[in-house]
Amino acid sequence: MAADLVRGLSAPTIALIDPGDQGSLEADLYAALLVGRRLLRHPLVRSILPDLYTAIPREPALAEAMRPGEMAREKKVKALIDRAIARGELRADVDRRATTDLLIGPLYWRIVVLGERCDRRQLKQLAHMTAAAIAAGGLAPD
Amino acid sequence: MAADLVRGLSAPTIALIDPGDQGSLEADLYAALLVGRRLLRHPLVRSILPDLYTAIPREPALAEAMRPGEMAREKKVKALIDRAIARGELRADVDRRATTDLLIGPLYWRIVVLGERCDRRQLKQLAHMTAAAIAAGGLAPD
């Protein structure tokens, strides 16, 4: 039943998460964070998302139902990174996995875990800082 | 009862989270991420933490019990930022709230939410990228 609910929520969610090209990496990140905030602060999403992720290891049908949403998210992040590489803002070998964690993690932590707010000024600051992190992600660590 | 459990876990957790001065912002971040990973990937922590945060709005006693741990975490992040300012690596007006979200969020997302691994090379890369993000956090967004 939870799997049906998740499947039913997936289509509109996927449609929501496509702000498209905003002209720069930082602007693309800000647009993605705006969309992410709209999604994560929805009371239904905020209240069930942690439980869904907790239940996944115990319920394969749930993992299956969430896959289209996860794949859509990965595709959008990939498109955002590819646009930045095409613009010359990022090196082609940028760390895509760390980029995804840095884009999603701080917002998820603030809104879903802590249940706190994040206004537009703070989102803009987060986009600015995340862009700097991603730009540094093409460099190999020591 | 959940509150008692949390209080019982707090003391050793607080003792754990103090890697101290490692000589640079990036090295301090890496040390903090190593300690955070050790804590977050503990099976007990991983399995109860999302539920604890979900339950807080409904149970004031739980919020009260978690406060010493939260305050200890805030104090450690503050010390890490203060050391970087003293070294001249960060401006004094760095965004402390965004810094905290960027330090904790990506690791929490990867280990607790997705249940995935993060090896030392990836932690080092995350420290490198997070240091760049924090350094950019002293600048006012447009």
Side-chain angles (χ1 to χ4, degrees), chain A residues 26 46-47 50-51 53-54 57 70 73 94-95 97-102 104-110 112-114 116-119 121-122 124-126 128-130 132-142, chain B residues 26 46-47 50-51 53-54 57 70 73 94-95 97-102 104-110 112-114 116-119 121-122 124-126 128-130 132-142:
Chain A
E26 191 167 325
R46 266 194 57 203
S47 63
D51 289 338
Y53 279 113
T54 306
E70 308 266 333
R73 191 185 64 211
V94 62
D95 188 327
R97 178 167 147 159
T99 294
T100 307
D101 294 346
L102 280 156
I104 300 170
L107 195 68
Y108 186 92
W109 168 255
R110 170 150 300 277
V112 179
V113 182
L114 298 184
E116 292 181 10
R117 296 174 58 84
C118 193
D119 65 26
R121 195 197 58 77
Q122 291 165 334
K124 209 155 217 171
Q125 173 75 319
L126 198 53
H128 177 70
M129 295 171 77
T130 307
I134 297 172
L139 308 170
D142 297 336
Chain B
E26 189 168 326
R46 269 193 54 202
S47 63
D51 290 337
Y53 279 113
T54 306
E70 309 266 333
R73 191 184 65 212
V94 63
D95 188 328
R97 178 167 145 159
T99 293
T100 307
D101 294 346
L102 279 157
I104 299 171
L107 195 68
Y108 186 92
W109 168 256
R110 168 149 302 276
V112 179
V113 182
L114 299 185
E116 292 180 10
R117 297 175 58 83
C118 194
D119 64 26
R121 195 197 58 77
Q122 290 164 334
K124 209 155 217 173
Q125 173 76 318
L126 198 54
H128 178 70
M129 295 171 78
T130 307
I134 297 172
L139 308 170
D142 296 335

